[in-house]
Amino acid sequence: MRPEKFSTKNFLKDLDSCKKSSVFYNLTEPALMQKAVERGEGVLGIGGALLVETGKHTGRSPRDKFIVKDRETKSRVWWEGNGSISPANFEKLHTDILKHMKGRDYFVQDLYACADREYRINIRLVNELAWHALFIRHLLRCPDNNDLEDFQAEYTIINCPSFKVTPELYGVRSETVIAINFSKKLVLVAGTEYAGENKKGVFTLLNYVLPDKGVMPMHCSANHATDESENVALFFGLSGTGKTTLSQDPLRILIGDDEHGWANTGIFNFEGGCYAKTINLSPDAEPEIFSAMTKFSTVVENMRFDSKSLQLDYKDDSLTPNMRSAYPLDFIANASKTGTSGPPKNIILLTCDAFGVLPPIARLSPEQAVYHFLSGFTSKAPGTERGVTEPQPTFSACFGAPFLPLRPEVYGEIFRNKIREGKVNCWLVNTGWIGGAYGDGKRIPIKETRAILSAIHKGLLDKCNYRYDETFKFRVPEDVPGVNKRFMNPRNAWRDKASFDRQAQRLVNMFVENFRKYKLHVDKSVIAESL
C-alpha cells in the first residue's frame, strides 16, 4: 500500500491550539523582518538588509541527507549517491520532531517552484526561524492572492533547527538530518540553521519529479540577450565557479542564478530569487549583486560588520568563506519579468581547475559535453561544505551530485538529446588557476572570463582558428578578443613545462578513473570522443 501523503492541516491546527505557540501564515517581508529582529535572530543592516549568522553550520551537510527507501524508491533512486533511511525510522523522526515543536512559534510560507505554470509545484514550508521564512520567500516564488486562497500543498518541508537528533535512534549519522520521503511528499530538516537546506531540499524534489515530465532539471544559471530572448545561455557549475556572478551581466537579461528546467518549449527558472556568494564582492566586478546588499529585506549570511556603522566587511572570512546574500530577482535591474525564455543557444560548463592545466575555454561536441557534464569536475570552494578550507579537486555528477535522487545517466541522456535536437553550442570554461596550480599560479581574472563569454554570446568563436588539445581531446580557440594569448595554451604560462605535463596527465587519470562508474550506462560515443 502506498504511504499516505502528509498533510500539515491537522498538525498546524494542533499547534495553533497550543497556548504557548503561535503559527504565522504567509507573513510578508516587512512582517518577517520585524519578527526576526524582535526575536534576536538578526540585526537590521544598512538599507534594511537583515544580517544573520547560521551557527556552526555555515554550509550544506550533504552527508546528513537521507532518502526513505521504500517500494517506490528502492529500485529508482541512485543509492550510490544518496543515504537511505527506513520508513520506520523516518516515522519516528517525524513524530519526535512534531512533539518537540509544540509550544514554539512557527512561520508558514505557501510558495511554489517553477516559473512555467505547466510544471508549477506548490510547496508549504514550516520554519522555526522567521529569517528562514524570509529567505525561502525570496528564493521560491510567491503565489498571487487568488492562487493563495485555493493553495493546496503538494510537498511539505518542516525545518526545525532546535531539534538535535540522536543518531542511533533514527539510523542517521549525526545530530543533523535532512530526510526526504518522496512517497509521503514530506521533507524534514533538523539540527542546522543553514537556510540553504530549505532551498536544496526543493531542488532535490524537482530533480525527482520533472524527468518523468520530459523536463531536464539543471543546476545552472541562465540569461539571454536584451534584444532577443532566444539568444539564451546556460551556466552550469558548482558553488564558487562563477555561476551567479557571470550570469548577472548588465548587458543581458538574467533568467535566474541557480536552478532551471529545460522543457520542449524552452527554459524556465525554478526559483524567484538569488543566493550569491559575497566574499571579496566588488562593486566594479559584480555591481548588481553589490547593489542588492543594501536593499530592504536582503538576507546577509555570516558576514562580519562594524558594530557602529554596520558597514559590511567583504574580506573578513573569519565566520566562513561561504558568506552569502539572498534576495528576490527583481532586485536585479535587468532580471526577467517572467523567468522563462526560449531554448538555449549556448551551454557553458564552468569549472574551477585547481591544477592549473585546463584552458580558459574549450569547445565541446555533444558527446564531450555529456562526458564533462557527468564528470562535473571542479574544485570545491572553501566554506561551501563543512570542513572545506581550501580548494579541493572534486567530481560532482551533473555539477550537482548531492541533489540527484536518480542515477546521473538519466539526466545525462536527457541532456544529450536536448543538445542534439536544439543544435546547441557547448563550451567548457575554466575560472580556476593559470600559470601553476593553486598556491603557485594565479586565478584567471574575471575580466578575461567575461571577455570569453562576450565572444561566445556574439558568435565570434564560430569561425576562429582552433588547436586540438592532445591531452584533453577537445578544441581550443587560438585567439579570443580581450584574452591574453598565453592563457589560451596553459602550458605556455607555466615556468616548468615538465611539471605542467605531469599535472595534466594526473588530471586526465582522475577523469578516466572517475568515469568508470558510468561506462556501462552511457552511449559508447560519449567515451570514444572524450578522455
Side-chain angles (χ1 to χ4, degrees):
M1 179 180 294
R2 182 182 174 87
E4 183 179 351
K5 174 188 165 186
F6 172 73
S7 172
T8 54
K9 183 176 180 181
N10 292 334
F11 162 64
L12 293 173
K13 184 178 179 181
D14 191 29
L15 277 184
D16 268 332
S17 66
C18 182
K19 293 181 180 179
K20 294 183 179 180
S21 67
S22 296
V23 180
F24 301 95
Y25 292 88
N26 296 314
L27 296 185
T28 59
E29 290 79 2
L32 288 170
M33 289 281 294
Q34 184 176 1
K35 286 291 184 184
V37 173
E38 286 176 353
R39 291 158 52 91
E41 296 176 6
V43 174
L44 195 62
I46 294 172
L50 183 66
L51 314 181
V52 300
E53 294 183 13
T54 62
K56 71 176 183 178
H57 292 270
T58 57
R60 293 179 293 102
S61 300
R63 294 179 62 201
D64 295 311
K65 183 177 178 181
F66 301 90
I67 295 174
V68 172
K69 182 180 281 191
D70 57 19
R71 184 180 299 178
E72 176 182 332
T73 60
K74 185 176 181 181
S75 60
R76 190 177 183 213
V77 165
W78 177 40
W79 293 114
E80 295 93 330
N82 290 279
S84 66
I85 185 172
S86 70
N89 280 337
F90 181 90
E91 285 306 311
K92 180 171 177 53
L93 176 65
H94 184 200
T95 298
D96 290 349
I97 286 177
L98 297 189
K99 287 180 181 177
H100 172 83
M101 290 171 70
K102 289 187 176 181
R104 300 170 185 267
D105 292 347
Y106 286 90
F107 299 86
V108 177
Q109 288 287 314
D110 292 332
L111 305 167
Y112 70 90
C114 302
D116 188 324
R117 197 174 185 93
E118 182 178 350
Y119 304 104
R120 178 179 294 186
I121 295 177
N122 289 348
I123 301 171
R124 172 164 286 168
L125 299 107
V126 182
N127 284 288
E128 185 177 23
L129 297 173
W131 82 262
H132 275 199
L134 178 64
F135 171 95
I136 203 62
R137 186 175 174 86
H138 288 336
L139 268 296
L140 290 184
R141 307 182 74 89
C142 297
D144 59 33
N145 290 334
N146 290 334
D147 287 340
L148 200 55
E149 287 180 7
D150 302 320
F151 188 91
Q152 296 292 325
E154 297 174 62
Y155 287 86
T156 301
I157 296 177
I158 298 175
N159 192 321
C160 188
S162 67
F163 184 85
K164 305 302 181 186
V165 176
T166 303
E168 55 269 24
L169 290 181
Y170 312 105
V172 294
R173 194 186 70 90
S174 75
E175 65 178 17
T176 298
V177 68
I178 302 95
I180 302 173
N181 191 323
F182 287 115
S183 300
K184 297 193 73 170
K185 299 189 173 182
L186 175 63
V187 179
L188 304 174
V189 182
T192 173
E193 293 185 28
Y194 186 67
E197 300 290 8
N198 269 343
K199 166 186 160 65
K200 291 307 184 185
V202 173
F203 187 41
T204 305
L205 296 176
L206 297 174
N207 277 322
Y208 186 78
V209 171
L210 291 179
D212 283 347
K213 299 181 179 182
V215 175
M216 173 69 187
M218 304 176 293
H219 185 210
C220 72
S221 56
N223 65 23
H224 66 73
T226 56
D227 57 347
E228 50 175 319
S229 62
E230 288 75 27
N231 187 356
V232 177
L234 304 181
F235 302 78
F236 287 85
L238 294 179
S239 176
T241 57
K243 190 166 79 296
T244 294
T245 298
L246 296 172
S247 62
Q248 294 193 16
D249 183 338
L251 301 179
R252 293 173 64 83
I253 301 298
L254 178 69
I255 304 168
D257 84 323
D258 197 43
E259 300 168 8
H260 293 81
W262 186 353
N264 291 334
T265 53
I267 303 300
F268 60 91
N269 194 352
F270 288 167
E271 301 182 305
C274 301
Y275 191 33
K277 289 178 72 72
T278 58
I279 186 169
N280 296 322
L281 193 64
S282 162
D284 297 323
E286 298 144 316
E288 296 285 351
I289 302 173
F290 194 87
S291 174
M293 297 296 291
T294 52
K295 291 188 176 180
F296 179 78
S297 82
T298 289
V299 177
V300 177
E301 284 183 354
N302 297 320
M303 287 191 69
R304 294 294 192 187
F305 56 91
D306 185 273
S307 59
K308 293 182 179 180
S309 69
L310 300 178
Q311 289 286 343
L312 296 169
D313 189 334
Y314 293 94
K315 297 185 182 300
D316 187 343
D317 62 357
S318 57
L319 287 176
T320 174
N322 192 38
M323 48 202 197
R324 290 179 176 266
S325 64
Y327 48 88
L329 264 170
D330 59 17
F331 281 12
I332 303 299
N334 58 328
S336 169
K337 303 299 182 185
T338 65
T340 62
S341 74
K345 180 179 180 180
N346 290 288
I347 288 175
I348 294 116
L349 305 182
L350 295 167
T351 184
C352 177
D353 172 26
F355 287 92
V357 296
L358 287 175
I361 180 173
R363 189 159 200 159
L364 306 176
S365 70
E367 286 69 30
Q368 289 173 332
V370 172
Y371 185 94
H372 285 276
F373 177 70
L374 288 176
S375 298
F377 169 70
T378 192
S379 301
K380 285 182 182 177
T384 303
E385 293 180 8
R386 295 174 66 199
V388 178
T389 57
E390 64 180 38
Q392 297 178 359
T394 187
F395 292 87
S396 184
C398 309
F399 295 98
F403 323 122
L404 304 182
L406 309 180
R407 284 200 64 87
E409 299 90 340
V410 172
Y411 308 101
E413 183 63 19
I414 301 173
F415 188 61
R416 180 170 179 259
N417 291 340
K418 288 191 177 295
I419 288 172
R420 283 199 165 277
E421 291 167 5
K423 298 180 180 179
V424 185
N425 300 317
C426 299
W427 313 88
L428 183 69
V429 172
N430 175 25
T431 63
W433 279 259
I434 202 81
Y438 172 77
D440 185 31
K442 66 176 183 177
R443 193 82 184 259
I444 295 172
I446 191 170
K447 68 176 183 178
E448 308 229 11
T449 303
R450 289 197 185 280
I452 288 170
L453 296 178
S454 177
I456 290 174
H457 298 323
K458 293 176 180 179
L460 301 180
L461 304 184
D462 291 344
K463 297 180 180 180
C464 71
N465 294 324
Y466 285 81
R467 68 173 177 85
Y468 178 73
D469 190 298
E470 296 285 349
T471 303
F472 294 101
K473 296 186 178 181
F474 45 45
R475 294 190 300 147
V476 180
E478 291 187 333
D479 189 11
V480 178
V483 179
N484 189 328
K485 281 191 176 184
R486 289 179 66 245
F487 288 179
M488 301 314 297
N489 189 336
R491 192 173 188 270
N492 294 339
W494 280 56
R495 294 185 299 273
D496 185 343
K497 303 299 190 284
S499 179
F500 172 90
D501 293 339
R502 288 192 297 271
Q503 282 282 75
Q505 189 57 51
R506 180 185 173 200
L507 181 55
V508 167
N509 294 341
M510 290 178 68
F511 266 101
V512 172
E513 181 59 33
N514 173 74
F515 208 81
R516 291 185 192 280
K517 55 181 172 284
Y518 305 127
K519 292 183 70 172
L520 297 177
H521 304 279
V522 299
D523 191 282
K524 292 181 180 178
S525 63
V526 171
I527 299 172
E529 289 196 26
S530 304
L531 300 179

